[in-house]
C-alpha cells in the first residue's frame, strides 16, 4: 500500500500542522525512508502505519524547532529500530508478495529498477555513518544541519562524511563500481 500525496499548502510557519497535512505532505518521504532503511514488503506497511500512529500521538508536542522532515526522520528511525527487533518473528508469519506495478511503461520500470539497484549497490559499499548522511542529504534532501541535530553528530563531521560519500558516488558511477576510489 504505497501512499500517494496530494499537493496542498503546508501550514503557515509557527502553526501546528494537522495529522492530515503531515500525512499528505510527507507520506512519500516516510515511505522512502522506510525503504532506504531496508524495511521490506508487509513490514513496510506496518512500520508506515506505526510512524503515523506515533505522529498522531506526538503531534501536539511538535514545537517547530526542527523541520517536519527532520522530526519525522527521528520518529521513523525509532520505529525502524523497534521493527528490526521483531523482524524475525514477522518473517516467519508473513508471506511477502511483490507490490503490483501501477502503469508506467516497461522501459521506465526497468530504468527505475536499474537506477535503484545502482543506488543500492553503492549504498552497500558505504559505512553506516556515510550511508546515513548520503541517504538523508542526497536522496531525501534534508539539510546537513538538520541531520546533525537528529543524529547528534558534529556538523563538520557530517559535511566531511557527505563529501567523501559524494566523491565515492562519482567514482562509482564513472565505472569504479567497487567504490574503492575514495577512502572513507
Amino acid at each position: 500500500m504505497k501512499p500517494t500525496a496530494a499537493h496542498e499548502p503546508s501550514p503557515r510557519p509557527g502553526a501546528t500542522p494537522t495529522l492530515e497535512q503531515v500525512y499528505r505532505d510527507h507520506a512519500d518521504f516516510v515511505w522512502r525512508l522506510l525503504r532506504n532503511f531496508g524495511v521490506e514488503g508487509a513490514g513496510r506497511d506496518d512500520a508506515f502505519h506505526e510512524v503515523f500512529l506515533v505522529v498522531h500521538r506526538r503531534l501536539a508536542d511538535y514545537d517547530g524547532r526542527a523541520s517536519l522532515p527532520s522530526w519525522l526522520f527521528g520518529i521513523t528511525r525509532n520505529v525502524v529500530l523497534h521493527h528490526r527487533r521483531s523482524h524475525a518473528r514477522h518473517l516467519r508469519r508473513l508471506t511477502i508478495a511483490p507490490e503490483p506495478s501501477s502503469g508506467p511503461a516497461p522501459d521506465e520500470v526497468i530504468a527505475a529498477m536499474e537506477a535503484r539497484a545502482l543506488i543500492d549497490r553503492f549504498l552497500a559499499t558505504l559505512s553506516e555513518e556515510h550511508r546515513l548522511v548520503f541517504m538523508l542529504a542526497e536522496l531525501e534532501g534534508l539539510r546537513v544541519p538538520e541531520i546533525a541535530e537528529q543524529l547528534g553528530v558534529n556538523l563538520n563531521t557530517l559535511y566531511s562524511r557527505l563529501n567523501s560519500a559524494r566523491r565515492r558516488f562519482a567514482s562509482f558511477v564513472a565505472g569504479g563500481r567497487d567504490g574503492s576510489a575514495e577512502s572513507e
Side-chain angles (χ1 to χ4, degrees), residues 49-147:
H49 292 291
E50 188 173 339
V51 166
F52 281 97
L53 285 173
V54 172
V55 169
H56 176 66
R57 284 193 313 265
R58 294 186 48 206
L59 193 56
D61 298 333
Y62 174 70
D63 59 11
R65 284 186 303 149
S67 70
L68 270 171
S70 180
W71 185 69
L72 288 169
F73 165 76
I75 291 172
T76 303
R77 182 177 68 174
N78 288 336
V79 167
V80 168
L81 291 174
H82 175 74
H83 173 81
R84 285 182 178 162
R85 284 185 225 118
S86 61
H87 187 64
R89 288 189 308 263
H90 290 293
L91 287 178
R92 286 191 297 267
R93 291 183 288 195
L94 299 176
T95 302
I96 300 173
E99 295 182 23
S101 62
S102 60
D107 57 336
E108 292 172 350
V109 171
I110 291 170
M113 288 172 50
E114 288 172 351
R116 182 65 201 177
L118 176 74
I119 294 293
D120 288 344
R121 284 193 310 272
F122 170 70
L123 290 175
T125 68
L126 297 176
S127 67
E128 180 70 22
E129 294 84 11
H130 286 80
R131 180 175 42 252
L132 192 56
V133 72
F134 184 84
M135 177 188 74
L136 291 172
E138 295 298 328
L139 301 180
E140 297 302 338
L142 287 179
R143 296 173 324 153
V144 176
E146 292 175 325
I147 298 168

Side-chain angles (χ1 to χ4, degrees), residues 3-7 10-11 17-33 48 51-52 55 62 67-73 76 140 142:
T4 58
H7 297 294
S10 296
T18 66
L19 178 62
E20 181 181 355
Q21 289 167 323
V22 173
Y23 182 86
R24 188 176 332 156
D25 294 346
H26 301 286
D28 286 339
F29 171 71
V30 170
W31 188 260
R32 287 189 312 270
L33 281 176
F48 178 81
V51 166
F52 281 97
V55 169
Y62 174 70
S67 70
L68 270 171
S70 180
W71 185 69
L72 288 169
F73 165 76
T76 303
E140 297 302 338
L142 287 179

Side-chain angles (χ1 to χ4, degrees), residues 158-169:
L158 285 182
Y159 277 121
S160 175
R161 288 177 185 169
L162 180 57
N163 287 333
S164 173
R166 285 174 174 163
R167 287 190 305 271
R168 289 188 68 195
F169 183 68

